[in-house]
Amino acid sequence: MKQKNKLYKKLKKYEGYLFILPWMLGMLLFTIGPILFAIYIGFTEWKILTKPNFIGFQNYIDIFHDENFWNSLMVTVKYAVFAVPLGIITSLTIAILMNTEIKGIRFFRTVYYLPAVVSGVAVALLWRWVLDPEFGLINLLLAQIGIQGPGWLSDPDWVLPSYILMALWGAGGGMITYLVGLREVPQNLYEAAEIDGAGPLTKFFKITLPLMTPILFYNLIMGIIGAFRKFTDAYILGGAGNQGKFYLVYLYDNAFKYFKMGYATALAWILFVIIFLLTLIIFKSSSLWVYYESNDD
């Protein structure tokens, strides 16, 4: 009987480990395992059906001498530089407009949020029609006022503005977080500012904007990650003169068009490092511009 009690106590000590065992197995098999495998594949020449051939850093050396890599990286960076800040400004503006209690405001909030729940493929097909140079909605509207619209995706100079325009169309997705933040701003701060004679702009820049910086911080990071991971619409719509060849599209082509899995994996690791460094810089700079309620000032 004593031995049974001892055995029971011993097993009881490991009871917690048994509960987390399925999660640990899942973590090992579906997260850590693939990460380690991807690190290895990045150092190999592998065409899926053949055995991986270890070639050291050759993939990374080839990538830095690859003109298409630099082109796709520059296209993605230029897109991120314009699309991320414009997206943040547009989302915040929509949220401010939607932060009112007029009749039917819930309907308008739903309408603005709808693009965020539409499938990426459907969005791309919709924009293919909207941007069509002959029958597209935008060029037809421009023709009504005597302006000949450009070849949005067929003219290299207009490819990037087309993708930025598409990004702004989905800005309503970020509206929700800003709207929640605006609701949390204490009204007594506005009342005190009004007593001191502050106008709408002063209240916005001195009260609203500082209190919204944690949400701006979050959306900035998510926006940069999203911009560097742009794929679905770029893959479907493309663009003239390689101007629609975003980084992930180039990575996908190498992996599933040319079956250069080692090369594509190395591209993925470079993308990871770029996003990691940008995120790190934003985190480090956050103490200069992000305001938290616990801040002494």
Side-chain angles (χ1 to χ4, degrees):
M1 189 66 182
K2 275 187 173 180
Q3 281 186 336
K4 273 189 176 179
N5 282 338
K6 273 187 175 181
L7 183 63
Y8 176 76
K9 283 180 180 176
K10 271 189 176 177
L11 288 174
K12 192 76 177 168
K13 281 169 62 179
Y14 299 105
E15 193 178 56
Y17 293 107
L18 288 174
F19 278 110
I20 63 169
L21 186 60
W23 179 85
M24 289 178 72
L25 284 174
M27 184 75 177
L28 283 170
L29 289 173
F30 301 115
T31 303
I32 296 175
I35 287 174
L36 294 175
F37 184 65
I39 291 172
Y40 169 68
I41 290 300
F43 294 107
T44 66
E45 185 182 15
W46 185 37
K47 297 195 173 183
I48 301 180
L49 297 177
T50 59
K51 192 178 173 184
N53 178 32
F54 187 80
I55 55 172
F57 286 94
Q58 193 57 49
N59 282 329
Y60 294 93
I61 294 168
D62 291 344
I63 285 171
F64 288 111
H65 290 89
D66 183 354
E67 284 184 13
N68 291 324
F69 160 74
W70 290 109
N71 174 70
S72 63
L73 183 60
M74 286 311 296
V75 167
T76 309
V77 168
K78 280 193 277 185
Y79 170 77
V81 165
F82 289 102
V84 174
L86 286 175
I88 288 174
I89 292 168
T90 309
S91 293
L92 182 57
T93 306
I94 294 171
I96 291 169
L97 292 173
M98 294 295 110
N99 188 32
T100 53
E101 293 301 334
I102 62 170
K103 193 176 180 183
I105 191 64
R106 291 185 180 182
F107 169 77
F108 290 111
R109 286 174 188 163
T110 307
V111 168
Y112 275 102
Y113 188 69
L114 266 182
V117 295
V118 179
S119 140
V121 175
V123 170
L125 294 175
L126 172 71
W127 278 96
R128 176 179 281 174
W129 167 67
V130 172
L131 298 174
D132 188 279
E134 292 184 25
F135 309 106
L137 181 65
I138 294 179
N139 280 6
L140 287 177
L141 290 173
L142 289 174
Q144 295 297 316
I145 53 174
I147 298 174
Q148 186 179 358
W152 293 94
L153 294 170
S154 56
D155 183 343
D157 293 334
W158 284 95
V159 174
L160 190 61
S162 303
Y163 281 107
I164 293 169
L165 190 64
M166 280 186 261
L168 295 182
W169 183 72
M175 170 195 72
I176 295 295
T177 51
Y178 292 117
L179 201 53
V180 171
L182 289 169
R183 292 298 179 108
E184 293 299 316
V185 178
Q187 293 303 306
N188 61 327
L189 294 179
Y190 292 126
E191 290 165 6
E194 283 172 9
I195 291 169
D196 288 341
L201 280 178
T202 306
K203 285 192 286 184
F204 175 75
F205 285 108
K206 298 291 184 183
I207 299 172
T208 307
L209 201 56
L211 292 178
M212 294 293 287
T213 49
I215 296 170
L216 289 168
F217 169 70
Y218 167 78
N219 280 324
L220 177 62
I221 290 177
M222 298 309 292
I224 288 173
I225 293 172
F228 275 88
R229 291 176 63 232
K230 187 171 184 62
F231 176 74
T232 307
D233 50 354
Y235 179 72
I236 292 171
L237 298 175
N242 280 334
Q243 290 304 304
K245 187 73 87 176
F246 285 81
Y247 193 96
L248 271 195
V249 175
Y250 184 57
L251 190 157
Y252 177 89
D253 283 348
N254 275 286
F256 300 106
K257 201 170 175 182
Y258 311 125
F259 299 109
K260 295 163 68 177
M261 298 303 289
Y263 195 83
T265 308
L267 282 169
W269 278 112
I270 290 171
L271 179 63
F272 167 77
V273 171
I274 291 170
I275 292 176
F276 176 76
L277 289 176
L278 289 173
T279 306
L280 195 64
I281 291 168
I282 295 168
F283 262 94
K284 288 287 182 186
S285 68
S286 65
S287 60
L288 300 173
W289 61 277
V290 179
Y291 171 81
Y292 294 105
E293 285 190 34
S294 58
N295 287 5
D296 291 330
D297 51 348

